[in-house]
Amino acid sequence: MSLYEHVYLARQDASAQQVEELTAHLKSVIEGLGGSIAKTEYWGVKTLSYRLRKNRKAHFTLLNIDAPSAAINEIERLERLNEDVLRYLTIRVEEHEEGPSAMMRRAERDRDRDDRRGDRFDRGDRFDRGDRGDRPRDRERRPRDEAEAPEPAATGE
């Protein structure tokens, strides 16, 4: 059997419970065909780079699969038929990544960064520059004399 990473995008209108049910259905199909799911990660609802079938957001789900190619063909066929699935991608890998995926690590890193920032900055004082002193707002400009204006370029006629 081969190792695969499979990501699918479900419509934003689908509830998280419907996405979990779809994942459970795909898992049962894979196990029925002699494969197994090593890891399942629900990445949440994310904004898409461009619209897919009039959707601007989608539910992202990752499956690490150890299964024969017939099982992969079957779940891809089922996803093509399902109206809730916008896109899917299956990649054959040499080994599965240990621990959380890069998307989950990024979410943790962003949460940690936001927690650290909250203590440091008081956003209310962000644009207050204080008193700027006595400065003339309108500078007096002297009118430009016609004598100082540059001469138009002479033509060689």
Side-chain angles (χ1 to χ4, degrees):
M1 288 194 281
S2 301
L3 301 176
Y4 299 94
E5 286 184 0
H6 180 80
V7 178
Y8 73 90
L9 282 61
R11 289 184 317 125
Q12 66 186 12
D13 299 342
S15 67
Q17 182 180 1
Q18 288 174 318
V19 174
E20 288 176 14
E21 290 172 2
L22 177 60
T23 302
H25 177 66
L26 295 175
K27 185 176 180 178
S28 66
V29 168
I30 290 169
E31 290 173 349
L33 293 172
S36 65
I37 303 254
K39 177 173 65 172
T40 301
E41 286 184 356
Y42 174 68
W43 292 343
V45 178
K46 299 202 174 290
T47 303
L48 300 171
S49 298
Y50 53 90
R51 293 174 70 179
L52 291 175
R53 297 187 206 162
K54 300 182 182 179
N55 290 284
R56 294 188 183 276
K57 294 184 177 190
H59 294 270
F60 285 65
T61 305
L62 166 75
L63 304 172
N64 282 349
I65 302 171
D66 182 12
S69 62
I72 301 301
N73 291 338
E74 179 62 17
I75 64 168
E76 288 180 351
R77 185 186 72 80
L78 291 172
E79 288 173 335
R80 277 194 299 273
L81 295 173
N82 192 331
E83 292 179 359
D84 288 337
V85 177
L86 298 174
R87 291 277 165 94
Y88 60 87
L89 177 67
T90 307
I91 299 174
R92 186 170 181 218
V93 294
E94 295 296 321
E95 60 182 280
H96 286 138
E97 185 176 335
E98 294 296 322
S101 66
M103 290 293 285
M104 296 303 281
R105 286 192 308 261
R106 184 175 134 209
E108 290 171 10
R109 185 188 69 224
D110 291 347
R111 254 192 319 269
D112 292 343
R113 185 185 65 215
D114 291 342
D115 291 344
R116 287 191 311 264
R117 270 195 188 158
D119 299 338
R120 245 189 306 181
F121 296 109
D122 181 12
R123 302 225 186 257
D125 296 335
R126 190 173 192 177
F127 296 107
D128 183 22
R129 293 185 174 178
D131 186 22
R132 309 227 45 216
D134 293 331
R135 290 187 355 194
R137 296 240 178 231
D138 296 324
R139 295 182 182 164
E140 294 181 22
R141 293 188 179 200
R142 63 185 173 103
R144 192 170 187 180
D145 294 335
E146 289 183 20
E148 293 179 11
E151 294 289 327
T155 57
E157 293 181 20

mmCIF file of all heavy atoms in Angstrom, residues 2 4 6 30 33 65-77 79 90:
data_model
loop_
_atom_site.group_PDB
_atom_site.id
_atom_site.type_symbol
_atom_site.label_atom_id
_atom_site.label_comp_id
_atom_site.label_asym_id
_atom_site.label_seq_id
_atom_site.Cartn_x
_atom_site.Cartn_y
_atom_site.Cartn_z
ATOM 1 N N SER A 2 0.328 2.313 -0.518
ATOM 2 C CA SER A 2 1.055 3.569 -0.634
ATOM 3 C C SER A 2 0.548 4.587 0.380
ATOM 4 O O SER A 2 -0.567 4.479 0.882
ATOM 5 C CB SER A 2 0.883 4.138 -2.041
ATOM 6 O OG SER A 2 1.363 3.214 -2.990
ATOM 7 N N TYR A 4 -0.489 8.536 1.165
ATOM 8 C CA TYR A 4 -1.019 9.702 0.465
ATOM 9 C C TYR A 4 -1.387 10.797 1.464
ATOM 10 O O TYR A 4 -1.766 10.505 2.601
ATOM 11 C CB TYR A 4 -2.291 9.342 -0.314
ATOM 12 C CG TYR A 4 -2.101 8.297 -1.377
ATOM 13 C CD1 TYR A 4 -2.335 6.953 -1.093
ATOM 14 C CD2 TYR A 4 -1.702 8.644 -2.661
ATOM 15 C CE1 TYR A 4 -2.174 5.988 -2.065
ATOM 16 C CE2 TYR A 4 -1.541 7.677 -3.645
ATOM 17 C CZ TYR A 4 -1.779 6.361 -3.341
ATOM 18 O OH TYR A 4 -1.616 5.400 -4.297
ATOM 19 N N HIS A 6 -4.183 13.785 1.432
ATOM 20 C CA HIS A 6 -5.377 14.164 0.676
ATOM 21 C C HIS A 6 -6.019 15.367 1.362
ATOM 22 O O HIS A 6 -6.297 15.319 2.565
ATOM 23 C CB HIS A 6 -6.356 12.981 0.639
ATOM 24 C CG HIS A 6 -7.611 13.260 -0.109
ATOM 25 N ND1 HIS A 6 -7.685 13.212 -1.474
ATOM 26 C CD2 HIS A 6 -8.844 13.608 0.325
ATOM 27 C CE1 HIS A 6 -8.925 13.504 -1.845
ATOM 28 N NE2 HIS A 6 -9.643 13.759 -0.765
ATOM 29 N N ILE A 30 -12.458 4.158 2.670
ATOM 30 C CA ILE A 30 -11.046 3.765 2.600
ATOM 31 C C ILE A 30 -10.799 2.489 3.402
ATOM 32 O O ILE A 30 -10.124 1.562 2.933
ATOM 33 C CB ILE A 30 -10.141 4.916 3.093
ATOM 34 C CG1 ILE A 30 -10.170 6.049 2.077
ATOM 35 C CG2 ILE A 30 -8.721 4.443 3.330
ATOM 36 C CD1 ILE A 30 -9.541 7.327 2.553
ATOM 37 N N LEU A 33 -12.021 -0.609 1.700
ATOM 38 C CA LEU A 33 -11.199 -1.076 0.581
ATOM 39 C C LEU A 33 -9.788 -1.481 1.029
ATOM 40 O O LEU A 33 -8.884 -1.612 0.206
ATOM 41 C CB LEU A 33 -11.127 0.007 -0.498
ATOM 42 C CG LEU A 33 -12.446 0.281 -1.209
ATOM 43 C CD1 LEU A 33 -12.348 1.493 -2.109
ATOM 44 C CD2 LEU A 33 -12.897 -0.939 -2.007
ATOM 45 N N ILE A 65 -3.376 9.191 4.447
ATOM 46 C CA ILE A 65 -3.977 7.914 4.081
ATOM 47 C C ILE A 65 -2.896 6.893 3.764
ATOM 48 O O ILE A 65 -1.902 7.208 3.099
ATOM 49 C CB ILE A 65 -4.898 8.092 2.849
ATOM 50 C CG1 ILE A 65 -5.978 9.129 3.152
ATOM 51 C CG2 ILE A 65 -5.500 6.767 2.422
ATOM 52 C CD1 ILE A 65 -6.797 9.524 1.941
ATOM 53 N N ASP A 66 -3.104 5.656 4.217
ATOM 54 C CA ASP A 66 -2.292 4.503 3.836
ATOM 55 C C ASP A 66 -3.260 3.516 3.193
ATOM 56 O O ASP A 66 -4.013 2.820 3.901
ATOM 57 C CB ASP A 66 -1.625 3.903 5.077
ATOM 58 C CG ASP A 66 -0.724 2.725 4.730
ATOM 59 O OD1 ASP A 66 -0.449 2.516 3.536
ATOM 60 O OD2 ASP A 66 -0.310 2.016 5.667
ATOM 61 N N ALA A 67 -3.279 3.495 1.858
ATOM 62 C CA ALA A 67 -4.303 2.701 1.166
ATOM 63 C C ALA A 67 -3.831 2.331 -0.239
ATOM 64 O O ALA A 67 -2.917 2.957 -0.787
ATOM 65 C CB ALA A 67 -5.599 3.505 1.076
ATOM 66 N N PRO A 68 -4.485 1.345 -0.837
ATOM 67 C CA PRO A 68 -4.188 1.033 -2.241
ATOM 68 C C PRO A 68 -4.773 2.116 -3.156
ATOM 69 O O PRO A 68 -5.651 2.879 -2.754
ATOM 70 C CB PRO A 68 -4.866 -0.318 -2.455
ATOM 71 C CG PRO A 68 -5.924 -0.389 -1.419
ATOM 72 C CD PRO A 68 -5.428 0.407 -0.250
ATOM 73 N N SER A 69 -4.294 2.161 -4.369
ATOM 74 C CA SER A 69 -4.733 3.209 -5.304
ATOM 75 C C SER A 69 -6.223 3.095 -5.631
ATOM 76 O O SER A 69 -6.871 4.105 -5.938
ATOM 77 C CB SER A 69 -3.908 3.155 -6.584
ATOM 78 O OG SER A 69 -4.090 1.910 -7.230
ATOM 79 N N ALA A 70 -6.798 1.901 -5.546
ATOM 80 C CA ALA A 70 -8.234 1.735 -5.815
ATOM 81 C C ALA A 70 -9.065 2.524 -4.811
ATOM 82 O O ALA A 70 -10.104 3.103 -5.166
ATOM 83 C CB ALA A 70 -8.608 0.260 -5.769
ATOM 84 N N ALA A 71 -8.619 2.584 -3.555
ATOM 85 C CA ALA A 71 -9.339 3.347 -2.537
ATOM 86 C C ALA A 71 -9.275 4.843 -2.836
ATOM 87 O O ALA A 71 -10.259 5.567 -2.673
ATOM 88 C CB ALA A 71 -8.763 3.052 -1.146
ATOM 89 N N ILE A 72 -8.132 5.309 -3.278
ATOM 90 C CA ILE A 72 -7.975 6.732 -3.619
ATOM 91 C C ILE A 72 -8.866 7.075 -4.808
ATOM 92 O O ILE A 72 -9.548 8.111 -4.810
ATOM 93 C CB ILE A 72 -6.495 7.062 -3.927
ATOM 94 C CG1 ILE A 72 -5.621 6.744 -2.715
ATOM 95 C CG2 ILE A 72 -6.335 8.498 -4.369
ATOM 96 C CD1 ILE A 72 -5.985 7.490 -1.460
ATOM 97 N N ASN A 73 -8.884 6.218 -5.813
ATOM 98 C CA ASN A 73 -9.748 6.448 -6.970
ATOM 99 C C ASN A 73 -11.211 6.525 -6.553
ATOM 100 O O ASN A 73 -11.971 7.354 -7.071
ATOM 101 C CB ASN A 73 -9.568 5.346 -8.013
ATOM 102 C CG ASN A 73 -8.213 5.413 -8.678
ATOM 103 O OD1 ASN A 73 -7.563 6.461 -8.677
ATOM 104 N ND2 ASN A 73 -7.777 4.290 -9.219
ATOM 105 N N GLU A 74 -11.619 5.686 -5.622
ATOM 106 C CA GLU A 74 -13.019 5.663 -5.177
ATOM 107 C C GLU A 74 -13.379 6.939 -4.410
ATOM 108 O O GLU A 74 -14.434 7.524 -4.644
ATOM 109 C CB GLU A 74 -13.281 4.423 -4.314
ATOM 110 C CG GLU A 74 -14.688 4.318 -3.790
ATOM 111 C CD GLU A 74 -15.755 4.207 -4.878
ATOM 112 O OE1 GLU A 74 -15.427 3.884 -6.040
ATOM 113 O OE2 GLU A 74 -16.942 4.443 -4.565
ATOM 114 N N ILE A 75 -12.517 7.407 -3.483
ATOM 115 C CA ILE A 75 -12.886 8.618 -2.736
ATOM 116 C C ILE A 75 -12.864 9.842 -3.648
ATOM 117 O O ILE A 75 -13.682 10.748 -3.489
ATOM 118 C CB ILE A 75 -12.020 8.845 -1.467
ATOM 119 C CG1 ILE A 75 -10.567 9.084 -1.814
ATOM 120 C CG2 ILE A 75 -12.190 7.721 -0.484
ATOM 121 C CD1 ILE A 75 -9.745 9.601 -0.647
ATOM 122 N N GLU A 76 -11.968 9.858 -4.637
ATOM 123 C CA GLU A 76 -11.972 10.974 -5.594
ATOM 124 C C GLU A 76 -13.240 10.951 -6.444
ATOM 125 O O GLU A 76 -13.805 12.002 -6.745
ATOM 126 C CB GLU A 76 -10.720 10.940 -6.459
ATOM 127 C CG GLU A 76 -9.467 11.345 -5.703
ATOM 128 C CD GLU A 76 -8.214 11.324 -6.552
ATOM 129 O OE1 GLU A 76 -8.259 10.831 -7.709
ATOM 130 O OE2 GLU A 76 -7.182 11.807 -6.064
ATOM 131 N N ARG A 77 -13.706 9.758 -6.803
ATOM 132 C CA ARG A 77 -14.958 9.637 -7.561
ATOM 133 C C ARG A 77 -16.129 10.150 -6.727
ATOM 134 O O ARG A 77 -16.973 10.916 -7.207
ATOM 135 C CB ARG A 77 -15.197 8.179 -7.973
ATOM 136 C CG ARG A 77 -16.412 7.985 -8.866
ATOM 137 C CD ARG A 77 -16.688 6.515 -9.111
ATOM 138 N NE ARG A 77 -17.226 5.863 -7.929
ATOM 139 C CZ ARG A 77 -18.513 5.927 -7.547
ATOM 140 N NH1 ARG A 77 -19.380 6.617 -8.268
ATOM 141 N NH2 ARG A 77 -18.936 5.305 -6.472
ATOM 142 N N GLU A 79 -16.016 12.309 -4.301
ATOM 143 C CA GLU A 79 -15.899 13.765 -4.135
ATOM 144 C C GLU A 79 -16.324 14.518 -5.391
ATOM 145 O O GLU A 79 -16.874 15.616 -5.299
ATOM 146 C CB GLU A 79 -14.476 14.143 -3.728
ATOM 147 C CG GLU A 79 -14.169 13.736 -2.303
ATOM 148 C CD GLU A 79 -12.733 13.946 -1.905
ATOM 149 O OE1 GLU A 79 -11.856 13.958 -2.785
ATOM 150 O OE2 GLU A 79 -12.485 14.090 -0.704
ATOM 151 N N THR A 90 -4.826 14.993 -4.072
ATOM 152 C CA THR A 90 -4.184 13.840 -3.463
ATOM 153 C C THR A 90 -2.750 13.780 -3.950
ATOM 154 O O THR A 90 -2.500 13.840 -5.152
ATOM 155 C CB THR A 90 -4.909 12.529 -3.830
ATOM 156 O OG1 THR A 90 -6.291 12.665 -3.512
ATOM 157 C CG2 THR A 90 -4.320 11.355 -3.091
#
